[in-house]
Amino acid sequence: MPVPSMPSSPAPARVLGGAVARRFLVLRHLLAPPRSLPAEPESVLRVMDRLGSLQFDPLEVAGRNHDLVLLSRIRGYRREWTDHWLYEDRRLYETYNKGLSIVPVAEMPWFRLTWDGSHARHTGSTFDAHAPLVEELLGRIRDGGPLLPGSVGPRRAIDWYWRPTNQVRAVLEALAEAGILGIARREGNLRVYDLVERLFPAELLAERRPEAEQRAHRLLSRYRGGGLLGAGGQAELWYGTGQFAADRAALRDALIAEGRLRPVTVEGVRGERFMIASEADLLAQAESEIAAGSPPGGHEPGVAFLAPLDPFCWDRELLRRLFDFDYVWEVYVPAAKRRWGYYVLPILYGDRLVGRIEPRLERRARSLRVVGLWWEDGFDPLADPGFATAFAAAVAAHRDFGGATRVLFPRAARHRPFLTEVRAILAG
């Protein structure tokens, strides 16, 4: 694969204090304060424009991951707003970036590598081994329109990724991975498939970008999401951006040379970090606020419950070093080995991570149940007179998002004084 040449004289990295780096992150993540974007579908596009990519995870314990990301940034967020842009207006679409993700349709030519690589992988394997079914399914969709896998009828299970899977579901998934089919809509979490040429403009599907340009764009998407990622870290940060660190380094150096990335160092954090160069004004705002002793964004600190795969939380090492917050998403950890809980979300207060909450939406009972609540060492939720109000606002936003009519809190005695105050605020 050809890679861009390295710059001859890279600019020295700027040094950021820890307080400035924390403030910069909440500002650029549209969390200063939380839920500050207008209660309208267009706010979803604004978040996408800033972050570039949101991971789509089907687990819906407290809400789907991307919905929780948007809920923490958009006042009165409704999941129908994102579904509108995905399946009706089609300004967004689902593809693989950092796992299954939502990205802008306008950036499709820079994400074609996903389709092209999957097409090459399935040709000679899945598509040949199941050729009659491939033709049957494509014929059904051509003649009958969008197809829900369950409408085809049961077929034998085949080995597929991590577990045996119904043959129809597997082949449809392969056709979608290869860019032959797209997702017309979802019924719950079930995908309804259609031909991509019926879903997206022909000129967009025909546009091709050089491979190196696509890889650079995909690498840039990680820095757009994280805000202050480094060059290393856990492997899942870089999934899909190239097999070798040396290739990523060459692409990253080219992005710096083009003025799209800017190197910085953060006090107390090992190694060089990189920010989007066009966000220099947000860095200046962070420096100004810290120097003046102003709260984030010039507003009273608010509370947000951050999604497990929120781009703010992508870099677990950065959370540990910069926020002194050790976050492990324990959804795949055996219950006996969990330190916290199944679906636990970090609690952001202003520009600090102060605790964890495990909310669960019980839709039949129309309840938001808080299964667990934990505070970081040294944080007293009653010591700051504004925290209970801010926390109650985050709970109310989550309750309303889930269509719940009541909130059920844990009965632990250690939480009683704080939750008594929160209940009074919610009741008022």
Side-chain angles (χ1 to χ4, degrees):
M1 180 194 78
V3 296
S5 59
M6 296 178 64
S8 56
S9 54
R14 183 172 179 176
V15 180
L16 308 182
V20 169
R22 288 188 290 272
R23 183 63 55 87
F24 167 73
L25 282 174
V26 297
L27 287 169
R28 64 91 47 195
H29 274 277
L30 302 169
L31 290 166
R35 298 176 300 283
S36 58
L37 296 182
E40 59 188 20
E42 288 73 18
S43 290
V44 174
L45 300 180
R46 182 175 172 186
V47 175
M48 291 300 305
D49 184 60
R50 174 64 60 82
L51 302 180
S53 178
L54 295 181
Q55 285 183 257
F56 190 118
D57 187 90
L59 284 177
E60 198 165 356
V61 178
R64 298 174 299 180
N65 179 76
H66 67 276
D67 288 322
L68 296 179
V69 174
L70 295 165
L71 173 62
S72 66
R73 292 158 171 86
I74 301 172
R75 184 174 66 253
Y77 171 73
R78 294 292 178 264
R79 60 183 289 163
E80 293 81 11
W81 297 348
T82 305
D83 290 348
H84 167 78
W85 299 120
L86 280 168
Y87 312 124
E88 297 173 19
D89 193 276
R90 298 196 189 280
R91 300 272 291 277
L92 306 173
Y93 80 114
E94 298 178 37
T95 191
Y96 284 88
N97 184 24
K98 185 181 178 291
L100 181 61
S101 299
I102 299 170
V103 302
V105 166
E107 297 181 22
M108 184 181 289
W110 289 270
F111 283 102
R112 290 236 22 147
L113 274 177
T114 297
W115 286 352
D116 295 343
S118 295
H119 197 289
R121 187 175 74 254
H122 289 303
T123 299
S125 58
T126 306
F127 294 157
D128 285 354
H130 307 282
L133 182 57
V134 169
E135 288 305 312
E136 176 190 341
L137 294 173
L138 290 177
R140 282 174 176 256
I141 293 172
R142 276 193 299 266
D143 298 338
L147 180 70
L148 182 69
S151 67
V152 178
R155 302 292 172 95
R156 65 184 177 90
I158 61 173
D159 289 335
W160 190 248
Y161 294 125
W162 300 281
R163 62 186 183 276
T165 297
N166 180 283
Q167 187 184 19
V168 170
R169 177 180 172 184
V171 170
L172 287 170
E173 187 173 317
L175 289 166
E177 290 175 354
I180 297 168
L181 299 179
I183 300 176
R185 65 182 186 275
R186 283 180 179 261
E187 296 184 3
N189 274 322
L190 298 177
R191 305 173 189 181
V192 179
Y193 294 98
D194 202 353
L195 302 173
V196 292
E197 55 263 35
R198 291 175 176 165
L199 303 177
F200 306 111
E203 60 272 18
L204 191 68
L205 292 171
E207 187 174 350
R208 293 292 188 274
R209 295 282 173 166
E211 181 178 338
E213 189 178 321
Q214 291 189 57
R215 291 196 181 280
H217 182 84
R218 183 169 299 214
L219 183 64
L220 184 65
S221 79
R222 301 307 158 85
Y223 290 103
R224 287 172 67 189
L228 278 179
L229 296 185
Q234 59 266 34
E236 58 266 26
L237 280 173
W238 311 112
Y239 175 76
T241 62
Q243 184 176 359
F244 302 109
D247 293 339
R248 292 197 298 271
L251 293 169
R252 185 172 53 250
D253 287 341
L255 292 168
I256 294 169
E258 293 168 5
R260 303 174 76 183
L261 276 184
R262 178 180 179 181
V264 298
T265 60
V266 180
E267 292 177 357
V269 178
R270 182 175 54 192
E272 207 168 41
R273 297 275 157 173
F274 304 90
M275 59 175 283
I276 300 299
S278 61
E279 295 179 358
D281 58 333
L282 293 173
L283 179 57
Q285 181 181 346
E287 292 173 326
S288 176
E289 288 183 1
I290 294 299
S294 302
H299 300 274
E300 289 300 313
V303 166
F305 306 144
L306 300 180
L309 300 174
D310 192 305
F312 192 96
C313 301
W314 279 357
D315 191 342
R316 305 293 203 245
E317 180 64 19
L318 184 63
L319 293 186
R320 282 190 289 269
R321 298 291 182 182
L322 186 57
F323 291 89
D324 193 25
F325 190 82
D326 186 16
Y327 180 55
V328 178
W329 189 31
E330 296 181 305
V331 69
Y332 299 115
V333 175
K337 296 184 178 181
R338 290 179 193 137
R339 184 180 179 188
W340 307 108
Y342 177 67
Y343 205 94
V344 173
L345 313 182
I347 300 174
L348 179 74
Y349 179 46
D351 55 11
R352 296 182 292 160
L353 290 169
V354 300
R356 302 152 208 264
I357 186 170
E358 186 175 7
R360 184 173 300 165
L361 286 171
E362 300 174 342
R363 297 188 184 277
R364 289 187 178 180
R366 300 192 67 187
S367 299
L368 171 64
R369 181 181 296 276
V370 178
V371 179
L373 187 61
W374 303 266
W375 306 116
E376 290 295 280
D377 291 342
F379 179 75
D380 180 354
L382 289 171
D384 187 324
F387 180 73
T389 298
F391 181 88
V395 170
H398 209 127
R399 176 199 63 199
D400 296 346
F401 161 75
T405 57
R406 60 176 183 164
V407 180
L408 305 174
F409 289 108
R411 297 180 179 276
R414 67 183 183 277
H415 294 311
R416 191 169 297 135
F418 172 68
L419 292 179
T420 298
E421 185 171 339
V422 170
R423 285 189 183 95
I425 294 170
L426 290 172

